[in-house]
Amino acid sequence: MLGGSVLWFRHGLRLHDNPSLHSALEETSGPFFPIFIFDGETAGTKVVGYNRMRYLLEALDDLDKQFKKYGGRLLLVKGKPSAVFRRLWEEFGIRKLCFEQDCEPVWRPRDESVKTACREIGVTCREHVSHTLWEPDTVIKANGGIPPLTYQMFLHTVATIGDPPRPVDNAKLRGIKFGTLPLCFYEEFTVYDKVPNPEDLGVFLENEDIRMIRWVGGETAALKQMQHRLAVEYETFCRGSYLPTHGSPDLLGPPISLSPALRFGCLSVRKFYWSLQDLFQQVHQGSLCSTQYITGQLIWREYFYTMSVNNPHYGQMTDNPICLDIPWKSPEGDELERWASGRTGFPFVDAAMRQLRLEGWLHHAVRNTVASFLTRGTLWLSWEHGLAHFLKYLLDADWSVCAGNWMWVSSSAFEALLDSGECACPVRLGQRLDPSGEYVRRYVPELARVPTEYIYEPWKAPLDVQERANCIIGKDYPAPVVNHIVAAQRNRNAMEELRMLLEKAPPHCCPSSEDEIRQFMWLNE
């Protein structure tokens, strides 16, 4: 029996700032087994689109290449984690299993199954917090045993805890003895000698691969992207500002967002957080105090994780204590499918939904537009439909943050009680963010020749204008699925009626101020 340790990758697909890696390398009695297990759910693979699966596999390939520099490799096995670890113990006598904490309750049954198996066979389990800045349970304990109900309350609570830990040093892999799997593993499980393709795992392209923007998964790409982002942040700090994407979002250029890398853990959130804080101090030399706005989007991420950690029903309406039970209507005809496929007849919404399927990405401002359109703004359909769609196609969608955003935009939680006053208009917001209509023309080519004055409302174009543009509404491009103005007013009235029925608000998460609402919904003007 050789002994040894296992590093189980789930999220946290990186070598930098990886305390679980350090812990695994402390066990020197035997070989080191870095492993990723395809169990049909880990890293969001239960229902997954092609772009998300490809990004994950690119991240795994990057890890594999890094381990090969030191004479090892990333082990890739398809099976049930508890069964895989039990067999590793039987074959090698492994003594230690290390992994990064997945704090969301959707992962708890998987992790409890593994911990139970390890207790039965005497293997030490070590779980480390590095996917979040603060451990959610610590935040809840500091707030008196309940999650902070507002963002400002969350900020106050983490201020009492103190700054998040700085990233740990890089682990030294030179001279490490890597373990290899015996032949019996190939007979009992599916073992991949190289990183598979999405098709090998039953995930296929739905349409031709004609992405305008190419996202690349993996730690190596993520660290390069972070340096580019920090250069942009540096220029913004020098101008006395922050949040470079917020004031004038670029819908057409290469995104500078790091959210996919943070979601899969290719980039450490602690590394990015402290890089931003240190850069701000470097620019201002202490003359300006750092504020939560510098890293505000990271703090929102923490807030949503904390709100979900003890709520297994967080991603649904039923039995979800923080979600209002709004009586959404059932989809009528093909309206839900038209929204999902980008055929609503509203060009800004359709461009966004087609970009999502094509590239796996949407700017935050555009996400709010399509979410509002599906729910309280226009179609009056449940946010659960939108969450399911985003979890399949959106590269950076994880359960907590994505569900939190959907509940907010639909006024189901994290919003002022049943407040439908501010909805992202699918016409006006497009005109503000992209006055020339080039975003629409890129992703809805049927409208490429439509004059700019009609690009966001092509149904208003006279027939002769439609003919010259080779785009007849109702034939070449769909007519609007509904009258947005009528639907929006009807929905506002419905929200008003519901508010009147609620004499006292239920336990309900809500924003701390009007400014917070407007910042979140990109309604700054």
Side-chain angles (χ1 to χ4, degrees):
M1 302 290 278
L2 298 176
S5 62
V6 176
L7 175 58
W8 179 22
F9 285 98
R10 301 101 65 83
H11 297 101
L13 303 178
R14 64 180 183 277
L15 301 186
H16 75 274
D17 189 27
N18 194 328
S20 299
L21 173 59
H22 281 273
S23 182
L25 296 180
E26 291 171 356
E27 177 59 52
T28 58
S29 65
F32 169 55
F33 297 91
I35 190 169
F36 183 88
I37 301 173
F38 294 94
D39 60 358
E41 62 174 359
T42 290
T45 53
K46 190 173 184 178
V47 180
V48 62
Y50 196 88
N51 284 316
R52 278 172 64 93
M53 181 60 83
R54 174 166 47 194
Y55 191 96
L56 167 63
L57 296 176
E58 288 171 347
L60 297 178
D61 186 57
D62 185 67
L63 278 175
D64 187 50
K65 288 176 180 175
Q66 293 192 72
F67 283 128
K68 283 178 178 176
K69 294 177 184 177
Y70 300 97
R73 55 162 297 201
L74 178 64
L75 304 175
L76 300 164
V77 180
K78 186 176 182 180
K80 186 177 180 181
S82 57
V84 172
F85 298 137
R86 186 178 292 273
R87 290 294 290 119
L88 281 172
W89 174 76
E90 290 170 351
E91 291 294 323
F92 297 98
I94 59 167
R95 298 177 182 176
K96 194 175 188 181
L97 171 66
C98 303
F99 50 87
E100 181 183 75
Q101 181 193 70
D102 278 345
C103 63
E104 298 168 306
V106 290
W107 308 117
R108 203 157 291 150
R110 176 201 62 187
D111 290 355
E112 287 303 320
S113 172
V114 167
K115 291 175 182 178
T116 298
C118 286
R119 282 194 296 269
E120 291 173 354
I121 58 180
V123 171
T124 299
C125 265
R126 289 287 181 265
E127 183 179 51
H128 296 268
V129 177
S130 53
H131 191 64
T132 53
L133 294 171
W134 296 275
E135 183 176 18
D137 283 337
T138 300
V139 177
I140 291 171
K141 183 178 180 180
N143 193 54
I146 60 172
L149 284 182
T150 70
Y151 181 66
Q152 286 299 323
M153 191 184 300
F154 180 84
L155 291 175
H156 173 76
T157 303
V158 296
T160 66
I161 297 172
D163 290 335
R166 284 187 174 265
V168 299
D169 294 334
N170 290 343
K172 294 178 172 59
L173 291 173
R174 196 169 303 280
I176 295 297
K177 180 182 179 182
F178 288 85
T180 57
L181 298 178
L183 180 61
C184 61
F185 266 71
Y186 288 78
E187 297 169 347
E188 298 172 34
F189 305 99
T190 299
V191 179
Y192 298 97
D193 286 325
K194 64 177 183 178
V195 177
N197 297 315
E199 291 83 357
D200 298 326
L201 299 167
V203 181
F204 299 92
L205 274 170
E206 297 178 6
N207 299 294
E208 185 181 358
D209 188 7
I210 51 172
R211 289 166 293 165
M212 310 290 179
I213 296 171
R214 172 78 165 89
W215 292 86
V216 178
E219 178 180 20
T220 301
L223 291 172
K224 291 179 181 177
Q225 291 161 2
M226 188 188 77
Q227 291 306 314
H228 174 65
R229 174 62 181 265
L230 291 175
V232 176
E233 296 279 355
Y234 176 80
E235 294 178 358
T236 307
F237 291 161
C238 287
R239 294 195 301 268
S241 186
Y242 47 83
L243 293 178
T245 66
H246 204 282
S248 54
D250 182 1
L251 303 184
L252 294 167
I256 63 170
S257 174
L258 300 172
S259 56
L262 292 169
R263 181 256 177 268
F264 284 95
C266 302
L267 176 66
S268 158
V269 67
R270 303 191 300 197
K271 183 175 182 66
F272 184 41
Y273 174 91
W274 280 110
S275 295
L276 285 172
Q277 295 289 346
D278 292 344
L279 182 63
F280 186 86
Q281 294 302 323
Q282 173 192 328
V283 169
H284 294 291
Q285 298 292 312
S287 62
L288 286 179
C289 293
S290 171
T291 73
Q292 76 270 15
Y293 295 113
I294 297 171
T295 49
Q297 290 165 318
L298 299 181
I299 306 301
W300 274 107
R301 176 180 183 265
E302 297 289 311
Y303 177 46
F304 286 140
Y305 275 130
T306 302
M307 292 307 304
S308 75
V309 69
N310 292 323
N311 181 2
H313 305 292
Y314 179 84
Q316 63 192 48
M317 288 179 62
T318 305
D319 298 323
N320 185 348
I322 68 168
C323 179
L324 293 176
D325 189 17
I326 297 174
W328 307 108
K329 71 181 180 65
S330 298
E332 297 173 357
D334 63 350
E335 60 182 358
L336 179 58
E337 171 54 30
R338 287 180 63 174
W339 174 84
S341 60
R343 295 183 298 108
T344 67
F346 290 90
F348 194 60
V349 172
D350 292 346
M353 298 308 293
R354 295 186 194 188
Q355 182 189 16
L356 174 59
R357 286 211 180 191
L358 191 66
E359 299 169 0
W361 169 255
L362 288 177
H363 190 282
H364 189 70
V366 182
R367 298 181 196 197
N368 286 343
T369 303
V370 299
S372 175
F373 186 89
L374 178 70
T375 59
R376 65 187 172 111
T378 305
L379 295 181
W380 198 258
L381 299 179
S382 172
W383 59 270
E384 294 166 310
H385 299 298
L387 174 61
H389 191 74
F390 273 29
L391 287 176
K392 181 175 182 180
Y393 291 104
L394 192 61
L395 287 174
D396 63 6
D398 60 15
W399 188 73
S400 293
V401 181
C402 196
N405 277 302
W406 274 100
M407 283 189 278
W408 176 302
V409 177
S410 67
S411 284
S412 298
F414 306 111
E415 235 284 36
L417 182 62
L418 295 173
D419 178 13
S420 190
E422 296 283 14
C423 289
C425 173
V427 175
R428 291 198 306 274
L429 192 62
Q431 292 169 334
R432 177 167 75 85
L433 296 179
D434 181 34
S436 68
E438 290 307 305
Y439 177 72
V440 168
R441 292 187 176 93
R442 172 183 287 186
Y443 294 104
V444 189
E446 309 97 289
L447 299 173
R449 298 177 61 182
V450 171
T452 300
E453 63 186 294
Y454 298 114
I455 192 68
Y456 290 107
E457 298 174 288
W459 60 88
K460 290 185 177 181
L463 183 58
D464 63 317
V465 174
Q466 297 180 33
E467 289 173 341
R468 286 196 298 273
N470 290 330
C471 183
I472 305 299
I473 303 305
K475 176 186 175 185
D476 303 301
Y477 179 73
V481 64
V482 294
N483 183 317
H484 167 71
I485 296 174
V486 172
Q489 184 59 54
R490 181 182 64 240
N491 295 351
R492 278 194 291 270
N493 293 340
M495 285 287 189
E496 287 285 351
E497 292 174 9
L498 285 169
R499 191 184 297 119
M500 296 289 288
L501 292 173
L502 290 171
E503 295 181 2
K504 183 180 180 182
H508 182 70
C509 304
C510 61
S512 309
S513 66
E514 179 73 16
D515 286 344
E516 208 170 277
I517 297 172
R518 298 190 69 82
Q519 285 186 11
F520 187 89
M521 291 295 292
W522 293 72
L523 297 165
N524 293 332
E525 294 185 357

